[in-house]
Amino acid sequence: MARQTLTPREDRETFEVPLEIRPEHIDANGHVNNVVYVGWLQDAGTAHWNARFDEATRAKWSWVALRHEIDYLRALMPDDTAVARTWVGDPQGPRFARYVRIEDGQGRLCAQGVSEWCLVDAQTMRPTRIPADMLPTFERR
């Protein structure tokens, strides 16, 4: 059963990533294959992280995906354009929920997803509580 339509939070920045639909993304049914969406969820989150944090911070911390959940609502076809819009939820210790909407060129919701990510120390790979000073970076600008 599909969840409610995900809507960006008023207090969070919504980061936008254009998506490229490549020939290898198209499956036997003639539309973007479902596994491509998992990659797009990860790509959107990574692009947001890379755009907002400097190299030193990214060298200190890393993120590990714990789970992905996706609702597929409208097929993306080979000639479509698409964009991912992503934002984060509230930190829960070392974990963050990241939300992603995938829309076509007309702004119609095609898929939506929630990923759970865990912050880890990049050297030890041990989970680390999300620092309080990290959250303001994800707030609406």
Side-chain angles (χ1 to χ4, degrees):
M1 174 185 280
R3 71 172 59 241
Q4 282 186 308
T5 299
L6 296 176
T7 304
R9 287 178 49 166
E10 294 290 325
D11 62 335
R12 294 286 192 261
E13 172 189 43
T14 302
F15 188 78
E16 186 174 306
V17 179
L19 301 173
E20 179 184 3
I21 298 173
R22 298 192 306 254
E24 61 268 23
H25 293 164
I26 307 305
D27 64 17
N29 294 317
H31 57 71
V32 174
N33 187 275
N34 61 331
V35 299
V36 173
Y37 290 83
V38 176
W40 285 345
L41 263 61
Q42 181 167 313
D43 293 348
T46 300
H48 192 190
W49 169 251
N50 290 340
R52 296 295 175 252
F53 291 90
D54 62 24
E55 188 175 333
T57 302
R58 294 191 319 265
K60 181 177 180 179
W61 305 112
S62 189
W63 293 94
V64 175
L66 301 176
R67 69 185 299 269
H68 300 291
E69 179 180 332
I70 303 173
D71 296 315
Y72 303 97
L73 306 166
R74 177 186 299 274
L76 282 168
M77 308 307 279
D79 294 329
D80 286 337
T81 59
V83 64
R85 300 180 200 288
T86 185
W87 64 96
V88 299
D90 292 322
Q92 302 292 319
R95 298 174 184 213
F96 243 148
R98 176 171 287 283
Y99 303 90
V100 180
R101 289 173 54 100
I102 296 174
E103 301 169 1
D104 66 13
Q106 290 78 47
R108 296 177 296 192
L109 183 61
C110 297
Q112 62 181 13
V114 180
S115 296
E116 186 175 356
W117 293 90
C118 181
L119 183 68
V120 296
D121 178 291
Q123 300 304 311
T124 66
M125 297 303 288
R126 295 183 67 94
T128 305
R129 179 175 287 279
I130 296 167
D133 62 352
M134 191 179 283
L135 185 58
T137 305
F138 294 113
E139 292 175 352
R140 184 174 294 282
R141 297 173 183 259

